[in-house]
Every structure is written in structure tokens, then in C-alpha cells.
Amino acid sequence: MPTTTGTREPRKLTDKGQATRARILEHAAELIYANGVHATNNDRLRRAAGVSGSQINHYFPTKESLVLAVIAWQAERVLAFHRGERFAGFDDLEAFRAWTDHYVAYERAYQEGCSLGSLASEIIKTDLDVHDELAGAFDQWRAIFRDGLQRMQDQRRLSAAADPTRLANLLLAAFQGGMLLAQVAQEITPLRDALQTAVDHVQTFATSPDADVSPRAP
Amino acid sequence: MPTTTGTREPRKLTDKGQATRARILEHAAELIYANGVHATNNDRLRRAAGVSGSQINHYFPTKESLVLAVIAWQAERVLAFHRGERFAGFDDLEAFRAWTDHYVAYERAYQEGCSLGSLASEIIKTDLDVHDELAGAFDQWRAIFRDGLQRMQDQRRLSAAADPTRLANLLLAAFQGGMLLAQVAQEITPLRDALQTAVDHVQTFATSPDADVSPRAP
């Protein structure tokens, strides 16, 4: 699970210790999201979090341990967001449209990309031993979409021709690729197009037209 | 244009000078593709290309100039591949299916990702002044798909409801996102699913079923 691996758990920490660790982690996540892993060093983190270098080293003795904790932190946030009431388990098309609309309106999408995907892209070729963490997080993310689509299919709202796993991979890939293309273009269009069109494709499997959802609207 | 910006053009170079520069560039591209930008330093490049540090500095005085030249080099290769006879301008579904099959069978897809996209992801948050280069390359790539789809539509082989630009963004995003997810998972399934399903979506706009192309086959 993203929340329990890759870093020393603060089990024996005092409340104050836990708060310090959480503050370091939050600032590290923000610095990495805004500037990338390589530009995030102890000096910048120390200043941002208002802690000493020895405090950072105490909670995160290596850069790997810090990056692992940030992956877990971002994964937890992304998964919690997708599991939130707002999307109701992604078992109707409106949830997928609302999800698209959220990210199309999210101004950091085309500035910094996906908080988890951009971090993954940046470190996937490094020697950091983070592959299991990343794979686990993306597996869970994919499963949220797949399970929602499966429920739609079980309830005969998606045709038997739909393959929930393949559609989930399309949705997640469109999201990650759209985020990269939006960052490169410095504007949201590639992400918007990719997400809306991926959801349009899910809709082609709908067994009854949903008057509240207009496919292929520009 | 990717081939003419971001680096000192070898106009005044001798044949030998051009060959040396090309050798450095090719090895730099390979090192960066396999290990990432940050792990590629002059020492490794010197050994790989069999040149001296001063030769590298002569042709590429800064890391930025080297990275820009590698972007141009990779962009040129990717665009030339997509413009090749094999895909005939991407103006039929078979070309898109052949393109999917190529990358699904390409073993480096899930090891190192897209040669251009993985480089873009790695450096998009750095201070390197490479955004225009990257944006130009991806614009040209997207245009290859869009123009092919537009021709299909002009010839009434795609319905008027299709939006070639949006479909092109879906295809390119599915490719980039699928490459990232395949790297994370260390297996090809996410890329295969994303590409095949994106092409399936294009096919939903086909005005006549094509007996040679089976949609949604697992």
C-alpha cells in the first residue's frame, strides 16, 4: 500500500515529531511537483518547511526515502480524490464527465501535469528503487475506473462488448498522455481533447442514450 | 524545425568534424534514452562515443545545447518514422492498426518508453529552455495523425461527426500515457490496451465496416 511502504513509519514519533515529519513531506511534495525531483534538494526543502537539515535527515535519511514517501503521499491523495463521493465510484458516465471537467479546469494541469504521473516520468529511469511503489499506485488507480465500468456492465448499462480493463487503460493513458501534451503545449487543449474523447468512447458502449451527457461536443 | 534549432549547425565543419558531431549526438541520444538526462554526463558520453571531453565541449558547449540537439535528433527520427511509406500518411484504419502493432511489439516501449516523450517528461520541469523545441515536435507529430484523419473524412470514409484534431490528440495522448504506464508496469498491456482502444474509437466513425480490421479484438 502506498501509505505504508518506502519510508520509516512514524509509529514511535511524538505528536510533535509526527507534525514535523508531515510538514517536511508536504513541502517536499510541493517542491517536487513544482520544480521536479532533481531541483529539490535539502537546502530548498529546509527553507520551505522551516526545519533544520538534521531534522530532514532524521525523518528521511536518504533522498530515496524522501521520494518514496512523496510517491506514497501523492498516491494517497490521488486515490482518495478518485474514491471521493464526488465521483460515486465512477459507475456512470456523468462521473467520468465530471472527472474530465475537473482536470480541464485545473490550472496546474498544463503547468505541472499529474502530481503522480509527472513524478513517475521523472524518476522512472533513475536508480531509485521505486518501481513497486509506482506500479502499486497506478494499479489501484486503474482499478477504480475498471471497477466502476464493470458495475455499469453488470447492471447492463454498458454493453457486453465493452472491456472494462481496456477502457480503464485508455482512460488512464489519455489522462497521463494528455497531461504531458498539455505541459508541452502550455495549454489545456490536448488534455481536454484526450479525456473527452476517451469518455466519448466509453459512451459508445452505453446501452441507452443519456440525455444529460452529450457526446463529442466540442 | 527540430533539425535546425537549438544547436550550432555544422555548416562550417569538415566531413570529419560532421562525423564526430554526429557520433557524439547519436551516443548522447542513446545514453539519454536508456538512462535519462540526469545520469548522462560528459564522462559517460566520452567513453561511449570514444571522443575527448574537449571534443564534446567543442560541438556542445553546454548540457542545454546537447539536450536540444538530442530533442531535435529524436524528433526527426520519430517524425520520419511516422511519415514513412509504411503508414501511407495515416489515411486509413489499417495504418493506425499497423502503427499500434509496431509499438506493441517494440520491446523497448515498456523499458524506456517513447524516445521523445520520455525525454520531454524528464526535462519539462527543469530550467532548460527547450519548450519551443518540444512543442514544435509534438505539433508536427499530431498533425501527421490529424491530416490523415482529415483526408479520410474528406473522402467520406470517416463520418462528418469525427473531429480529426480531437482524435489526433486522443491517439497521441494514448500513446504517451500508454508508454508511461507500460514503463511503470514493466509490461506492454497498458500501451496495447490504450492504443487499440483509441483506434477502436476512430473506427466508430468509419462510414463502412472494413473487413480487414477487427475492432475490439482482445
Side-chain angles (χ1 to χ4, degrees):
Chain A
M1 297 291 292
T3 54
T4 56
T5 56
T7 178
R8 291 169 186 179
E9 273 304 290
R11 280 179 199 142
K12 295 174 184 171
L13 297 179
T14 61
D15 287 354
K16 192 177 166 191
Q18 286 191 28
T20 304
R21 182 182 178 283
R23 187 163 73 248
I24 294 170
L25 190 49
E26 186 172 350
H27 284 279
E30 176 55 32
L31 283 172
I32 286 175
Y33 185 43
N35 308 302
V37 172
H38 297 280
T40 300
N41 55 34
N42 271 11
D43 265 6
R44 293 181 81 160
L45 180 52
R46 200 168 42 69
R47 284 196 300 273
V51 295
S52 69
S54 63
Q55 282 176 299
I56 295 175
N57 288 330
H58 175 70
Y59 296 105
F60 305 102
T62 62
K63 187 153 188 177
E64 182 164 334
S65 66
L66 180 65
V67 171
L68 276 167
V70 169
I71 291 172
W73 192 84
Q74 294 287 21
E76 191 173 35
R77 280 165 54 105
V78 164
L79 294 172
F81 176 72
H82 284 76
R83 288 174 179 144
E85 286 185 16
R86 179 172 183 177
F87 302 120
F90 285 98
D91 64 2
D92 63 32
L93 282 164
E94 280 188 77
F96 284 104
R97 297 284 176 201
W99 171 71
T100 294
D101 291 347
H102 170 80
Y103 280 107
V104 169
Y106 181 55
E107 66 178 17
R108 293 188 80 176
Y110 64 88
Q111 293 163 351
E112 272 108 29
C114 166
S115 58
L116 189 62
S118 65
L119 174 52
S121 304
E122 212 190 348
I123 60 179
I124 196 90
K125 291 187 181 183
T126 68
D127 293 330
L128 291 174
D129 184 16
V130 294
H131 284 81
D132 290 348
E133 296 298 308
L134 287 171
F138 281 103
D139 281 347
Q140 291 178 73
W141 193 347
R142 181 186 298 112
I144 294 170
F145 294 150
R146 187 198 58 219
D147 293 350
L149 295 164
Q150 185 65 60
R151 279 192 297 278
M152 292 170 73
Q153 193 173 46
D154 292 345
Q155 295 163 7
R156 309 286 171 94
R157 291 183 288 121
L158 277 194
S159 86
D163 181 327
T165 298
R166 296 181 78 208
L167 293 174
N169 270 322
L170 176 68
L171 289 159
L172 194 50
F175 182 81
Q176 292 298 331
M179 280 284 190
L180 172 63
L181 296 174
Q183 278 181 280
V184 167
Q186 291 286 291
E187 54 113 5
I188 204 73
T189 308
L191 178 70
R192 188 198 63 200
D193 284 359
L195 289 184
Q196 290 180 346
T197 312
V199 179
D200 286 351
H201 188 58
V202 175
Q203 188 158 0
T204 65
F205 294 97
T207 49
S208 67
D210 183 342
D212 292 323
V213 179
S214 58
R216 294 167 196 154
Chain B
M1 298 294 291
T3 54
T4 57
T5 55
T7 178
R8 290 169 186 178
E9 273 304 290
R11 280 177 199 142
K12 295 175 184 170
L13 298 180
T14 60
D15 286 353
K16 193 177 167 191
Q18 286 189 30
T20 303
R21 182 183 178 282
R23 189 163 72 249
I24 294 170
L25 189 49
E26 186 172 351
H27 284 279
E30 176 55 32
L31 283 172
I32 286 175
Y33 185 44
N35 308 302
V37 171
H38 297 281
T40 300
N41 55 34
N42 272 12
D43 264 5
R44 293 181 80 160
L45 179 53
R46 198 169 43 69
R47 284 195 299 273
V51 296
S52 68
S54 63
Q55 282 176 299
I56 296 174
N57 289 330
H58 175 71
Y59 296 105
F60 304 103
T62 62
K63 187 151 188 178
E64 182 163 333
S65 66
L66 179 64
V67 172
L68 276 166
V70 169
I71 291 173
W73 193 84
Q74 293 287 20
E76 190 172 35
R77 279 166 54 104
V78 164
L79 294 172
F81 176 74
H82 283 77
R83 287 172 179 145
E85 286 186 15
R86 180 172 181 178
F87 302 120
F90 285 98
D91 64 1
D92 62 33
L93 281 165
E94 280 189 78
F96 285 103
R97 296 284 175 199
W99 170 71
T100 294
D101 291 346
H102 170 81
Y103 280 107
V104 168
Y106 181 54
E107 67 178 17
R108 294 188 81 176
Y110 64 89
Q111 292 163 351
E112 273 108 29
C114 166
S115 57
L116 189 62
S118 64
L119 174 52
S121 304
E122 212 190 348
I123 60 178
I124 196 90
K125 292 188 180 182
T126 68
D127 294 331
L128 291 174
D129 184 16
V130 294
H131 285 82
D132 290 349
E133 297 298 308
L134 288 171
F138 281 103
D139 281 348
Q140 290 179 74
W141 193 349
R142 181 186 297 111
I144 294 170
F145 294 150
R146 187 197 59 220
D147 293 350
L149 295 164
Q150 185 65 59
R151 279 191 298 277
M152 292 169 72
Q153 193 174 46
D154 291 345
Q155 295 163 9
R156 310 284 171 95
R157 291 183 287 120
L158 278 195
S159 85
D163 181 327
T165 298
R166 296 182 79 210
L167 292 174
N169 270 323
L170 176 67
L171 289 159
L172 193 50
F175 182 82
Q176 292 299 330
M179 281 285 192
L180 172 63
L181 296 174
Q183 278 180 280
V184 167
Q186 291 286 290
E187 55 113 2
I188 204 73
T189 308
L191 178 70
R192 188 197 63 200
D193 284 359
L195 290 184
Q196 290 180 345
T197 312
V199 178
D200 286 351
H201 188 58
V202 175
Q203 188 158 359
T204 66
F205 293 97
T207 50
S208 67
D210 183 342
D212 292 325
V213 179
S214 58
R216 293 165 198 154

